[in-house]
Amino acid sequence: MNSFGKKLRLTTFGESHGKAIGCVLDGVPAGLEIDEEFVQRELDRRKPGKSNMETGRKEDDRVEILSGVFEGISTGTPIAMVIYNTNQKSKDYANVKDLFRPGHADFTYWHKYGIRDYRGGGRSSARETAARVAAGAVAKLMLAKFGIDVQSGVCEIDGIEAKTYDFEYAKSSKLYALDPDVELMQERAVLEAKKNHDSVGGVVLAVANGVPAGLGEPLYYKLDAVLAEAMMGINAAKAVEIGDGIASAHLKGSQNNDPITPDGFVSNHSGGILGGISNADEIRLKVYFKPTPSIFQEQDTIDIHTQSTKLNLKGRHDPCVAIRGSVVVESMMALVIADMMLLNASSNMQNLQKIYSPKGI
């Protein structure tokens, strides 16, 4: 499936080495100011080739809005956006045309479809996430109208964990690092892996503040469940934690419960979600990314005829996919919350009566 969401529905298209990638975002309410410069800045945060921490593929990632916006305002019709690929080197993949790259989707795509685009992974490439970031930028513009802010940063690389979380600092960090005290160690780990033709994994922390209570659609479209689905749909994501996540399984109920006072919750072990519904506290989640599977070491594999062979990969790849993945996590979180806000607008009669009650009643 290439579509995501209920009321705010995102469909993406394109391949890593095709002519373009893009998206159609349907369900954006009419009357939203679309700041195209903001959308572009979000894409600039994710675009490749900004530092030696990232792939050498340099793409401008200039976004073009094709529909759904008139004179800077959303019209209520589908917003279509396109980003043209300008720096493909498809010849780098000629030697893997009939080989399966370990850790990649080559093997599974081949067995599912009987055909695959070997040029950088085609549709399975993380290049597709640029379209999600463009759509996420529109969702952020909508959320900002309600005082909702979504932020993210890298809290762990190669097992080196942040001790403090500074989201403002992360915005200017090459690694999107949350802790300046461990950033240098994390950077060294990435560069050492790159030097050794290897890669490292990482963990992204994302938070949303200002989210009202009541978002989430039990039982089968819970806020935490949909957030987890959205995050697991990101390339290389292997696990998601909401709130304390795994650590909560090691606590007693007396430790894990968040006491409630007239001023709000005393703690936030739940990550801002109870029963699949937001409780107005900070929504907090972590996404765990595996090491980038594209490494420049000889590996054992098989070809499409199931014959054993050796793989020596070429191309340009991120030594740590979690770094740019941070921006994608943030974008997907914004899309989910915006979708939940639209769904919640019709959750009870009071909400509907604010819009549809006859005058004077």
Side-chain angles (χ1 to χ4, degrees), residues 103-120:
H104 278 275
D106 301 345
F107 182 86
T108 48
Y109 265 59
W110 173 262
H111 281 272
K112 182 174 181 63
Y113 299 110
I115 188 172
R116 69 182 176 94
D117 183 347
Y118 62 87
R119 305 166 303 166

Side-chain angles (χ1 to χ4, degrees), residues 54 168-178 183 186 323:
E54 302 170 355
E168 284 303 311
Y169 181 81
K171 292 176 182 178
S172 59
S173 165
K174 288 193 297 184
L175 299 176
Y176 298 117
L178 287 165
E183 180 182 21
Q186 292 173 336
I323 297 172

